[in-house]
Amino acid sequence: MVTSPTLIAHWLVVFWPRVSRKTWRHYLFARGRFKHVLLYGIEKRFGVVLGVDHHMLRTSYHCLLPVEVAQELTKFQRAGAVLVLYEAEEAAAAPFPHFNCCSLATHTLGLDSWRCFTPDRLFAEMRRLGGQLICRVGLNDNRLLLVTEDA
């Protein structure tokens, strides 16, 4: 796989426990605790956050301010989502066709994609590789403040 250094310092991965409408893909690929995965990349220099979401055959990218992200993540946590902070030294640079939200996440984070084909397996693999659970989200001087389980 071709890799390149990235401007994203940390990736915040949101694991959704339920979805509003189940399709055949949810029954086939998301039978466990989690049903969907979202990515938020915290950019190093400018302090903006890149939101990445993959649904069926489309991927959407959003550039967000820390205030907007803090509001979204707090809302997600209240709805039962689990947040994991992950440091990726290198990101995949080559384009890759994504079959589901997990293949997008594993490719973006540079993980072994054959192990992480479902959201539950991706969660287990990220925890094994040192991903930290986020307990609380806030703002400090217009920067995103993430309180981990270990702190």
Side-chain angles (χ1 to χ4, degrees):
M1 176 191 312
V2 178
T3 59
S4 67
T6 179
L7 292 175
I8 303 294
H10 298 88
W11 286 98
L12 187 60
V13 185
V14 179
F15 291 91
W16 273 105
R18 56 190 171 272
V19 290
S20 58
R21 184 177 66 109
K22 287 192 177 185
T23 63
W24 64 270
R25 287 180 182 227
H26 292 106
Y27 291 107
L28 187 61
F29 299 114
R31 286 183 258 176
R33 177 179 172 195
F34 302 114
K35 308 299 179 205
H36 187 60
V37 175
L38 299 162
L39 294 173
Y40 287 95
I42 303 168
E43 199 272 335
K44 290 178 185 175
R45 283 188 285 178
F46 303 109
V48 296
V49 178
L50 173 69
V52 183
D53 190 10
H54 182 76
H55 282 288
M56 296 295 276
L57 299 175
R58 65 180 167 81
T59 303
S60 57
Y61 299 91
H62 305 280
C63 190
L64 304 164
L65 296 173
V67 175
E68 298 169 321
V69 174
Q71 291 170 351
E72 274 191 26
L73 294 177
T74 303
K75 181 180 73 173
F76 291 164
Q77 280 188 316
R78 286 188 189 133
V82 176
L83 311 177
V84 178
L85 184 65
Y86 185 75
E87 292 185 41
E89 276 118 39
E90 295 182 340
F96 184 77
H98 303 295
F99 182 67
N100 63 4
C101 56
C102 291
S103 66
L104 172 78
T106 55
H107 181 73
T108 303
L109 299 174
L111 303 175
D112 278 338
S113 60
W114 67 271
R115 287 187 183 169
C116 309
F117 204 63
T118 66
D120 286 340
R121 287 299 310 143
L122 177 61
F123 179 77
E125 184 70 10
M126 287 183 64
R127 290 293 288 163
R128 187 182 72 80
L129 294 173
Q132 300 174 329
L133 290 177
I134 302 297
C135 298
R136 197 169 41 118
V137 178
L139 286 173
N140 185 14
D141 294 331
N142 205 22
R143 291 209 172 266
L144 203 55
L145 176 67
L146 304 170
V147 179
T148 63
E149 182 179 67
D150 306 329

